[in-house]
Amino acid sequence: MTQGERVKEVRKALGLTLDKFGEKVGVKKQTVSRIENGVNNVTDQMVLSICREFNVNYDFLMNGEGEMFDDLPQTVLDELCAQYDLDDLDRTLVEMYIEMPEQVRDYLKQEIRKRFLKEDTKK
């Protein structure tokens, strides 16, 4: 299956028209049609836009490997780690923080303010 065919498969799975799909990724419906029919190639920017906008698995879209869609929380965390050059420990710390109950996060923030930011927490 070509990249264009995979784009069409994604669009159909989402139940979107050529027009609506193109609108979401910033191109006209004719551009989407030309990609799906193999007239035009998918640009790197278009691949990134499709993956970001529709939570599509990059490897699926590029190479036909893996599931069509990514798990959203994992994708957001992956993007965060890539954007800020976070290593495995950083990632684990972020995951731990996200999974903490709100009361524990509030306590942790209070302690960070007090110990590291030297803020008065009694306000």
PDB file of all heavy atoms in Angstrom, residues 64-89:
ATOM      1  N   GLY A  64       3.675   1.961   6.593  1.00  0.00           N
ATOM      2  CA  GLY A  64       2.660   0.923   6.698  1.00  0.00           C
ATOM      3  C   GLY A  64       2.878  -0.022   7.867  1.00  0.00           C
ATOM      4  O   GLY A  64       2.356  -1.133   7.879  1.00  0.00           O
ATOM      5  N   GLU A  65       3.655   0.407   8.861  1.00  0.00           N
ATOM      6  CA  GLU A  65       3.976  -0.443  10.009  1.00  0.00           C
ATOM      7  C   GLU A  65       3.223   0.022  11.248  1.00  0.00           C
ATOM      8  O   GLU A  65       3.087   1.214  11.492  1.00  0.00           O
ATOM      9  CB  GLU A  65       5.476  -0.400  10.291  1.00  0.00           C
ATOM     10  CG  GLU A  65       6.313  -0.916   9.140  1.00  0.00           C
ATOM     11  CD  GLU A  65       7.799  -0.672   9.333  1.00  0.00           C
ATOM     12  OE1 GLU A  65       8.201  -0.090  10.361  1.00  0.00           O
ATOM     13  OE2 GLU A  65       8.564  -1.048   8.431  1.00  0.00           O
ATOM     14  N   GLY A  66       2.742  -0.928  12.040  1.00  0.00           N
ATOM     15  CA  GLY A  66       2.080  -0.604  13.293  1.00  0.00           C
ATOM     16  C   GLY A  66       0.612  -0.263  13.107  1.00  0.00           C
ATOM     17  O   GLY A  66       0.036  -0.421  12.031  1.00  0.00           O
ATOM     18  N   GLU A  67       0.025   0.199  14.201  1.00  0.00           N
ATOM     19  CA  GLU A  67      -1.388   0.577  14.204  1.00  0.00           C
ATOM     20  C   GLU A  67      -1.585   1.910  13.494  1.00  0.00           C
ATOM     21  O   GLU A  67      -0.683   2.738  13.450  1.00  0.00           O
ATOM     22  CB  GLU A  67      -1.895   0.696  15.645  1.00  0.00           C
ATOM     23  CG  GLU A  67      -1.824  -0.598  16.436  1.00  0.00           C
ATOM     24  CD  GLU A  67      -2.727  -1.675  15.877  1.00  0.00           C
ATOM     25  OE1 GLU A  67      -3.860  -1.359  15.481  1.00  0.00           O
ATOM     26  OE2 GLU A  67      -2.288  -2.834  15.818  1.00  0.00           O
ATOM     27  N   MET A  68      -2.788   2.121  12.987  1.00  0.00           N
ATOM     28  CA  MET A  68      -3.087   3.365  12.280  1.00  0.00           C
ATOM     29  C   MET A  68      -3.033   4.574  13.216  1.00  0.00           C
ATOM     30  O   MET A  68      -2.489   5.617  12.862  1.00  0.00           O
ATOM     31  CB  MET A  68      -4.474   3.292  11.626  1.00  0.00           C
ATOM     32  CG  MET A  68      -4.795   4.499  10.777  1.00  0.00           C
ATOM     33  SD  MET A  68      -6.454   4.466  10.030  1.00  0.00           S
ATOM     34  CE  MET A  68      -6.400   2.980   9.065  1.00  0.00           C
ATOM     35  N   PHE A  69      -3.593   4.423  14.407  1.00  0.00           N
ATOM     36  CA  PHE A  69      -3.663   5.541  15.334  1.00  0.00           C
ATOM     37  C   PHE A  69      -2.826   5.275  16.578  1.00  0.00           C
ATOM     38  O   PHE A  69      -2.735   4.146  17.048  1.00  0.00           O
ATOM     39  CB  PHE A  69      -5.122   5.812  15.739  1.00  0.00           C
ATOM     40  CG  PHE A  69      -5.974   6.222  14.585  1.00  0.00           C
ATOM     41  CD1 PHE A  69      -6.854   5.322  14.001  1.00  0.00           C
ATOM     42  CD2 PHE A  69      -5.904   7.501  14.069  1.00  0.00           C
ATOM     43  CE1 PHE A  69      -7.637   5.691  12.927  1.00  0.00           C
ATOM     44  CE2 PHE A  69      -6.686   7.885  12.994  1.00  0.00           C
ATOM     45  CZ  PHE A  69      -7.555   6.975  12.415  1.00  0.00           C
ATOM     46  N   ASP A  70      -2.235   6.345  17.104  1.00  0.00           N
ATOM     47  CA  ASP A  70      -1.474   6.288  18.349  1.00  0.00           C
ATOM     48  C   ASP A  70      -2.383   6.535  19.529  1.00  0.00           C
ATOM     49  O   ASP A  70      -3.440   7.152  19.393  1.00  0.00           O
ATOM     50  CB  ASP A  70      -0.384   7.378  18.373  1.00  0.00           C
ATOM     51  CG  ASP A  70       0.853   6.981  17.589  1.00  0.00           C
ATOM     52  OD1 ASP A  70       1.156   5.780  17.497  1.00  0.00           O
ATOM     53  OD2 ASP A  70       1.529   7.896  17.094  1.00  0.00           O
ATOM     54  N   ASP A  71      -1.930   6.109  20.682  1.00  0.00           N
ATOM     55  CA  ASP A  71      -2.612   6.414  21.935  1.00  0.00           C
ATOM     56  C   ASP A  71      -2.283   7.859  22.273  1.00  0.00           C
ATOM     57  O   ASP A  71      -1.122   8.221  22.402  1.00  0.00           O
ATOM     58  CB  ASP A  71      -2.118   5.465  23.025  1.00  0.00           C
ATOM     59  CG  ASP A  71      -2.798   5.669  24.343  1.00  0.00           C
ATOM     60  OD1 ASP A  71      -3.995   5.973  24.352  1.00  0.00           O
ATOM     61  OD2 ASP A  71      -2.116   5.525  25.375  1.00  0.00           O
ATOM     62  N   LEU A  72      -3.284   8.701  22.437  1.00  0.00           N
ATOM     63  CA  LEU A  72      -3.075  10.139  22.594  1.00  0.00           C
ATOM     64  C   LEU A  72      -2.151  10.523  23.732  1.00  0.00           C
ATOM     65  O   LEU A  72      -1.206  11.267  23.527  1.00  0.00           O
ATOM     66  CB  LEU A  72      -4.410  10.866  22.728  1.00  0.00           C
ATOM     67  CG  LEU A  72      -4.327  12.385  22.848  1.00  0.00           C
ATOM     68  CD1 LEU A  72      -3.616  12.976  21.639  1.00  0.00           C
ATOM     69  CD2 LEU A  72      -5.689  12.990  22.994  1.00  0.00           C
ATOM     70  N   PRO A  73      -2.370  10.040  24.970  1.00  0.00           N
ATOM     71  CA  PRO A  73      -1.462  10.473  26.022  1.00  0.00           C
ATOM     72  C   PRO A  73      -0.005  10.132  25.732  1.00  0.00           C
ATOM     73  O   PRO A  73       0.883  10.893  26.018  1.00  0.00           O
ATOM     74  CB  PRO A  73      -1.980   9.733  27.257  1.00  0.00           C
ATOM     75  CG  PRO A  73      -3.419   9.502  26.971  1.00  0.00           C
ATOM     76  CD  PRO A  73      -3.479   9.261  25.486  1.00  0.00           C
ATOM     77  N   GLN A  74       0.220   8.973  25.162  1.00  0.00           N
ATOM     78  CA  GLN A  74       1.584   8.583  24.816  1.00  0.00           C
ATOM     79  C   GLN A  74       2.157   9.537  23.776  1.00  0.00           C
ATOM     80  O   GLN A  74       3.303   9.944  23.860  1.00  0.00           O
ATOM     81  CB  GLN A  74       1.575   7.144  24.289  1.00  0.00           C
ATOM     82  CG  GLN A  74       2.937   6.538  24.170  1.00  0.00           C
ATOM     83  CD  GLN A  74       3.589   6.276  25.502  1.00  0.00           C
ATOM     84  OE1 GLN A  74       2.935   6.099  26.501  1.00  0.00           O
ATOM     85  NE2 GLN A  74       4.892   6.266  25.529  1.00  0.00           N
ATOM     86  N   THR A  75       1.375   9.895  22.793  1.00  0.00           N
ATOM     87  CA  THR A  75       1.826  10.788  21.738  1.00  0.00           C
ATOM     88  C   THR A  75       2.180  12.158  22.297  1.00  0.00           C
ATOM     89  O   THR A  75       3.209  12.724  21.962  1.00  0.00           O
ATOM     90  CB  THR A  75       0.744  10.937  20.656  1.00  0.00           C
ATOM     91  OG1 THR A  75       0.439   9.645  20.140  1.00  0.00           O
ATOM     92  CG2 THR A  75       1.197  11.823  19.531  1.00  0.00           C
ATOM     93  N   VAL A  76       1.345  12.699  23.143  1.00  0.00           N
ATOM     94  CA  VAL A  76       1.604  14.003  23.738  1.00  0.00           C
ATOM     95  C   VAL A  76       2.894  13.950  24.554  1.00  0.00           C
ATOM     96  O   VAL A  76       3.740  14.840  24.461  1.00  0.00           O
ATOM     97  CB  VAL A  76       0.413  14.454  24.611  1.00  0.00           C
ATOM     98  CG1 VAL A  76       0.760  15.684  25.416  1.00  0.00           C
ATOM     99  CG2 VAL A  76      -0.803  14.708  23.749  1.00  0.00           C
ATOM    100  N   LEU A  77       3.069  12.894  25.318  1.00  0.00           N
ATOM    101  CA  LEU A  77       4.274  12.756  26.126  1.00  0.00           C
ATOM    102  C   LEU A  77       5.501  12.589  25.235  1.00  0.00           C
ATOM    103  O   LEU A  77       6.553  13.175  25.507  1.00  0.00           O
ATOM    104  CB  LEU A  77       4.136  11.576  27.091  1.00  0.00           C
ATOM    105  CG  LEU A  77       5.242  11.397  28.111  1.00  0.00           C
ATOM    106  CD1 LEU A  77       5.485  12.668  28.914  1.00  0.00           C
ATOM    107  CD2 LEU A  77       4.894  10.255  29.046  1.00  0.00           C
ATOM    108  N   ASP A  78       5.366  11.829  24.161  1.00  0.00           N
ATOM    109  CA  ASP A  78       6.477  11.682  23.214  1.00  0.00           C
ATOM    110  C   ASP A  78       6.869  13.031  22.627  1.00  0.00           C
ATOM    111  O   ASP A  78       8.047  13.351  22.521  1.00  0.00           O
ATOM    112  CB  ASP A  78       6.104  10.720  22.080  1.00  0.00           C
ATOM    113  CG  ASP A  78       6.099   9.268  22.521  1.00  0.00           C
ATOM    114  OD1 ASP A  78       6.690   8.956  23.573  1.00  0.00           O
ATOM    115  OD2 ASP A  78       5.501   8.441  21.800  1.00  0.00           O
ATOM    116  N   GLU A  79       5.876  13.824  22.253  1.00  0.00           N
ATOM    117  CA  GLU A  79       6.157  15.148  21.691  1.00  0.00           C
ATOM    118  C   GLU A  79       6.840  16.044  22.717  1.00  0.00           C
ATOM    119  O   GLU A  79       7.774  16.773  22.398  1.00  0.00           O
ATOM    120  CB  GLU A  79       4.863  15.796  21.196  1.00  0.00           C
ATOM    121  CG  GLU A  79       4.311  15.166  19.950  1.00  0.00           C
ATOM    122  CD  GLU A  79       3.029  15.821  19.479  1.00  0.00           C
ATOM    123  OE1 GLU A  79       2.758  16.974  19.869  1.00  0.00           O
ATOM    124  OE2 GLU A  79       2.297  15.173  18.722  1.00  0.00           O
ATOM    125  N   LEU A  80       6.368  15.994  23.953  1.00  0.00           N
ATOM    126  CA  LEU A  80       6.958  16.781  25.027  1.00  0.00           C
ATOM    127  C   LEU A  80       8.422  16.393  25.238  1.00  0.00           C
ATOM    128  O   LEU A  80       9.300  17.253  25.340  1.00  0.00           O
ATOM    129  CB  LEU A  80       6.163  16.583  26.320  1.00  0.00           C
ATOM    130  CG  LEU A  80       6.605  17.359  27.541  1.00  0.00           C
ATOM    131  CD1 LEU A  80       6.356  18.848  27.355  1.00  0.00           C
ATOM    132  CD2 LEU A  80       5.864  16.862  28.775  1.00  0.00           C
ATOM    133  N   CYS A  81       8.683  15.103  25.291  1.00  0.00           N
ATOM    134  CA  CYS A  81      10.050  14.617  25.486  1.00  0.00           C
ATOM    135  C   CYS A  81      10.958  15.040  24.332  1.00  0.00           C
ATOM    136  O   CYS A  81      12.099  15.451  24.560  1.00  0.00           O
ATOM    137  CB  CYS A  81      10.053  13.101  25.639  1.00  0.00           C
ATOM    138  SG  CYS A  81       9.344  12.537  27.208  1.00  0.00           S
ATOM    139  N   ALA A  82      10.453  14.945  23.120  1.00  0.00           N
ATOM    140  CA  ALA A  82      11.257  15.346  21.961  1.00  0.00           C
ATOM    141  C   ALA A  82      11.498  16.850  21.963  1.00  0.00           C
ATOM    142  O   ALA A  82      12.618  17.307  21.728  1.00  0.00           O
ATOM    143  CB  ALA A  82      10.556  14.927  20.671  1.00  0.00           C
ATOM    144  N   GLN A  83      10.461  17.628  22.263  1.00  0.00           N
ATOM    145  CA  GLN A  83      10.576  19.083  22.219  1.00  0.00           C
ATOM    146  C   GLN A  83      11.581  19.604  23.243  1.00  0.00           C
ATOM    147  O   GLN A  83      12.308  20.546  22.983  1.00  0.00           O
ATOM    148  CB  GLN A  83       9.213  19.717  22.464  1.00  0.00           C
ATOM    149  CG  GLN A  83       9.232  21.232  22.379  1.00  0.00           C
ATOM    150  CD  GLN A  83       7.844  21.838  22.515  1.00  0.00           C
ATOM    151  OE1 GLN A  83       6.834  21.146  22.506  1.00  0.00           O
ATOM    152  NE2 GLN A  83       7.797  23.142  22.635  1.00  0.00           N
ATOM    153  N   TYR A  84      11.614  18.985  24.428  1.00  0.00           N
ATOM    154  CA  TYR A  84      12.473  19.482  25.496  1.00  0.00           C
ATOM    155  C   TYR A  84      13.681  18.577  25.745  1.00  0.00           C
ATOM    156  O   TYR A  84      14.349  18.714  26.765  1.00  0.00           O
ATOM    157  CB  TYR A  84      11.655  19.665  26.780  1.00  0.00           C
ATOM    158  CG  TYR A  84      10.657  20.782  26.649  1.00  0.00           C
ATOM    159  CD1 TYR A  84       9.334  20.531  26.337  1.00  0.00           C
ATOM    160  CD2 TYR A  84      11.061  22.108  26.790  1.00  0.00           C
ATOM    161  CE1 TYR A  84       8.415  21.561  26.196  1.00  0.00           C
ATOM    162  CE2 TYR A  84      10.161  23.141  26.644  1.00  0.00           C
ATOM    163  CZ  TYR A  84       8.834  22.856  26.346  1.00  0.00           C
ATOM    164  OH  TYR A  84       7.941  23.888  26.195  1.00  0.00           O
ATOM    165  N   ASP A  85      13.952  17.658  24.830  1.00  0.00           N
ATOM    166  CA  ASP A  85      15.111  16.771  24.908  1.00  0.00           C
ATOM    167  C   ASP A  85      15.166  16.055  26.260  1.00  0.00           C
ATOM    168  O   ASP A  85      16.189  16.064  26.947  1.00  0.00           O
ATOM    169  CB  ASP A  85      16.405  17.556  24.650  1.00  0.00           C
ATOM    170  CG  ASP A  85      17.576  16.635  24.366  1.00  0.00           C
ATOM    171  OD1 ASP A  85      17.348  15.520  23.871  1.00  0.00           O
ATOM    172  OD2 ASP A  85      18.724  17.033  24.656  1.00  0.00           O
ATOM    173  N   LEU A  86      14.038  15.456  26.669  1.00  0.00           N
ATOM    174  CA  LEU A  86      13.951  14.763  27.946  1.00  0.00           C
ATOM    175  C   LEU A  86      14.444  13.332  27.805  1.00  0.00           C
ATOM    176  O   LEU A  86      14.150  12.659  26.828  1.00  0.00           O
ATOM    177  CB  LEU A  86      12.503  14.760  28.458  1.00  0.00           C
ATOM    178  CG  LEU A  86      11.841  16.133  28.621  1.00  0.00           C
ATOM    179  CD1 LEU A  86      10.407  15.967  29.116  1.00  0.00           C
ATOM    180  CD2 LEU A  86      12.624  17.007  29.571  1.00  0.00           C
ATOM    181  N   ASP A  87      15.191  12.874  28.800  1.00  0.00           N
ATOM    182  CA  ASP A  87      15.672  11.493  28.775  1.00  0.00           C
ATOM    183  C   ASP A  87      14.666  10.580  29.472  1.00  0.00           C
ATOM    184  O   ASP A  87      13.577  11.011  29.861  1.00  0.00           O
ATOM    185  CB  ASP A  87      17.066  11.389  29.402  1.00  0.00           C
ATOM    186  CG  ASP A  87      17.119  11.789  30.874  1.00  0.00           C
ATOM    187  OD1 ASP A  87      16.057  11.796  31.542  1.00  0.00           O
ATOM    188  OD2 ASP A  87      18.220  12.089  31.359  1.00  0.00           O
ATOM    189  N   ASP A  88      15.037   9.309  29.644  1.00  0.00           N
ATOM    190  CA  ASP A  88      14.115   8.326  30.231  1.00  0.00           C
ATOM    191  C   ASP A  88      13.713   8.682  31.659  1.00  0.00           C
ATOM    192  O   ASP A  88      12.557   8.493  32.045  1.00  0.00           O
ATOM    193  CB  ASP A  88      14.725   6.927  30.201  1.00  0.00           C
ATOM    194  CG  ASP A  88      14.798   6.359  28.794  1.00  0.00           C
ATOM    195  OD1 ASP A  88      14.078   6.858  27.908  1.00  0.00           O
ATOM    196  OD2 ASP A  88      15.581   5.408  28.579  1.00  0.00           O
ATOM    197  N   LEU A  89      14.648   9.191  32.458  1.00  0.00           N
ATOM    198  CA  LEU A  89      14.317   9.575  33.830  1.00  0.00           C
ATOM    199  C   LEU A  89      13.344  10.749  33.838  1.00  0.00           C
ATOM    200  O   LEU A  89      12.367  10.754  34.593  1.00  0.00           O
ATOM    201  CB  LEU A  89      15.574   9.908  34.633  1.00  0.00           C
ATOM    202  CG  LEU A  89      15.331  10.370  36.075  1.00  0.00           C
ATOM    203  CD1 LEU A  89      14.549   9.318  36.873  1.00  0.00           C
ATOM    204  CD2 LEU A  89      16.653  10.687  36.758  1.00  0.00           C
TER     205      LEU A  89
END
